Amino acid sequence: MCWTDRAGALKKLTVFLTFLGLVAVTAAMAWSGFDSVLHAVMRIGLGGFLVMVCCQLLVDGVLGLAWHAAFPELGYFRLLSARMVRDAAATCLPFSQLGGIVIGIRATCSSHGFYKGDKREVALPEAACANLVDITTEVMGQVAFVLLAVAFLVAHQRSSPFVVPVVCGAVFLIAGTAGFIWTQRHGGNLFRKFGGTFTRSLASQWHENLTQGADDLQEQMEAAWSRPWHICRSALYHFVGWLGSAAMLWLTARFLGAHLSFPNAIAVEGVTCAIMSLGFLVPGSLGVQEGAYMALGHAFGIDPSVSLGLSLLRRGREIIIGIPVLLAWQFMEMHGLRGNDKNDEDKAAYPPSSSVVKDTHLG
């Protein structure tokens, strides 16, 4: 199968999963009762919803701090804005998490962002390395968060049917993270050893570019993983960010009138995040998030309409933040590209002349 066929098949799969997720969300709302879900959502009020949006922005700030801890040479606001663009693309656009990563790499490369003072262009290998390492440290923090959630879930309901699957999922997540780290540290060597077999059939220029790009990426990876203290600090900040997401769930449940302790909120949020990680191919985790919230909410005595309301409010605050972020990023990208085109036109119209330089010096 050629690359075009694979891309087409992946696009069809994404569309199918998006449609399936929308059907699942609609079915869940119909089963819970549209009026009941609407009533549960409206309990929070405009003021409460704005509080949740501000809390999400605070958590985003912690996530930017986590990324900056691993890559202090990159500006904090560059990384924060790139992180917000990456999350917004993954939650608001019909892409899987992989699509959000690609857009996040582009946002990291760009010098046209929400940040000031850091206008240097970041090369593609450095941006790819920064995003991959940040995702890895986020998963490291998530593993600790999921294990804590499982402990609270067992403490609340030892016979819960979620315990065994989530523990198995956590083990799978740990193994996958370890393999991902190993690949980042040794992937370049493997590519140099075996990649030539697959790239020799390409044009010589493409072959050289791929080989050089792999070498540059491997150098960036080795430099990043040679700072274990930075990696540990980043994972710790990500763990704090996961706790912040649990705190938002606890606060939202309070606004909706549900009685949920903070340890139980950690259990619900942690297990939900683990389930969503397994369904990473589903764009925006449509249907997966709602099903997890409703099932776990039932285990903690929360009405299905309230559980569905928690999920919809989470999506609401992500959209309220994500759409303006994507629009602002697109505007700045277009503005930056127009500026570059104008500079190129000026250089073409007024080429440097040795006589002009000489006259300037004489003057």
Side-chain angles (χ1 to χ4, degrees):
M1 182 181 291
C2 65
W3 289 107
T4 305
D5 294 337
R6 291 180 180 178
L10 184 59
K11 183 177 180 180
K12 291 179 181 178
L13 178 61
T14 301
V15 172
F16 173 74
L17 291 176
T18 302
F19 175 75
L20 196 63
L22 290 173
V23 171
V25 173
T26 304
M29 293 183 65
W31 181 77
S32 300
F34 289 100
D35 293 340
S36 299
V37 175
L38 181 62
H39 179 69
V41 171
M42 295 302 293
R43 282 184 187 177
I44 194 171
L46 179 61
F49 183 71
L50 292 178
V51 169
M52 300 314 304
V53 171
C54 292
C55 290
Q56 181 63 59
L57 291 174
L58 182 61
V59 171
D60 289 340
V62 174
L63 298 178
L65 191 64
W67 198 351
H68 187 253
F71 291 87
E73 64 274 10
L74 298 178
Y76 170 75
F77 290 104
R78 172 191 288 271
L79 296 177
L80 174 61
S81 60
R83 170 68 199 229
M84 294 181 70
V85 169
R86 191 176 78 199
D87 289 346
T91 56
C92 300
L93 297 180
F95 300 140
S96 65
Q97 296 292 330
L98 299 178
I101 294 172
V102 173
I103 294 178
I105 292 173
R106 169 57 191 165
T108 309
C109 288
S110 175
S111 62
H112 322 296
F114 312 119
Y115 37 85
K116 302 293 182 182
D118 183 12
K119 291 297 183 181
R120 72 182 180 94
E121 290 282 349
V122 176
L124 180 60
E126 185 179 3
C129 171
N131 278 268
L132 291 175
V133 172
D134 180 58
I135 292 169
T136 305
T137 55
E138 182 178 11
V139 174
M140 292 167 64
Q142 183 185 17
V143 168
F145 181 64
V146 169
L147 292 177
L148 181 63
V150 171
F152 285 134
L153 180 63
V154 172
H156 173 78
Q157 193 177 32
R158 187 168 301 178
S159 60
S160 174
F162 290 99
V163 174
V164 175
V166 171
V167 170
C168 294
V171 172
F172 175 78
L173 199 60
I174 292 172
T177 304
F180 194 37
I181 294 173
W182 187 90
T183 302
Q184 291 178 41
R185 303 194 66 176
H186 305 282
N189 298 329
L190 292 176
F191 182 83
R192 282 192 292 268
K193 187 175 182 180
F194 301 105
T197 305
F198 301 99
T199 59
R200 285 194 192 103
S201 59
L202 300 176
S204 60
Q205 183 180 1
W206 287 15
H207 173 77
E208 292 176 1
N209 289 339
L210 283 173
T211 304
Q212 184 61 44
D215 291 340
D216 293 342
L217 179 59
Q218 185 60 33
E219 289 179 4
Q220 295 289 338
M221 287 292 185
E222 291 174 357
W225 287 101
S226 66
R227 304 179 293 189
W229 172 240
H230 290 184
I231 297 296
C232 291
R233 275 202 307 157
S234 179
L236 178 61
Y237 285 136
H238 275 300
F239 178 72
V240 173
W242 286 111
L243 290 177
S245 64
M248 283 191 289
L249 176 65
W250 171 80
L251 187 58
T252 307
R254 289 277 178 171
F255 281 134
L256 299 187
H259 300 287
L260 189 68
S261 66
F262 184 62
N264 291 347
I266 292 177
V268 173
E269 187 69 12
V271 176
T272 298
C273 290
I275 295 174
M276 290 168 60
S277 297
L278 297 177
F280 67 95
L281 286 178
V282 182
S285 297
L286 281 172
V288 179
Q289 175 180 300
E290 283 72 22
Y293 269 129
M294 292 178 68
L296 288 162
H298 176 74
F300 288 93
I302 300 177
D303 187 83
S305 61
V306 175
S307 298
L308 194 54
L310 291 171
S311 178
L312 295 178
L313 287 171
R314 174 176 175 169
R315 293 195 182 280
R317 72 171 185 261
E318 289 173 348
I319 292 173
I320 287 295
I321 296 173
I323 295 298
V325 166
L326 289 175
L327 291 176
W329 177 64
Q330 282 295 299
F331 173 79
M332 292 178 180
E333 283 284 296
M334 293 175 63
H335 180 73
L337 292 175
R338 288 174 182 172
N340 292 337
D341 292 341
K342 185 177 180 181
N343 291 335
D344 293 339
E345 291 175 0
D346 291 342
K347 290 179 181 178
Y350 303 100
S353 172
S354 58
S355 60
V356 174
V357 174
K358 186 181 296 184
D359 293 342
T360 303
H361 284 298
L362 292 174

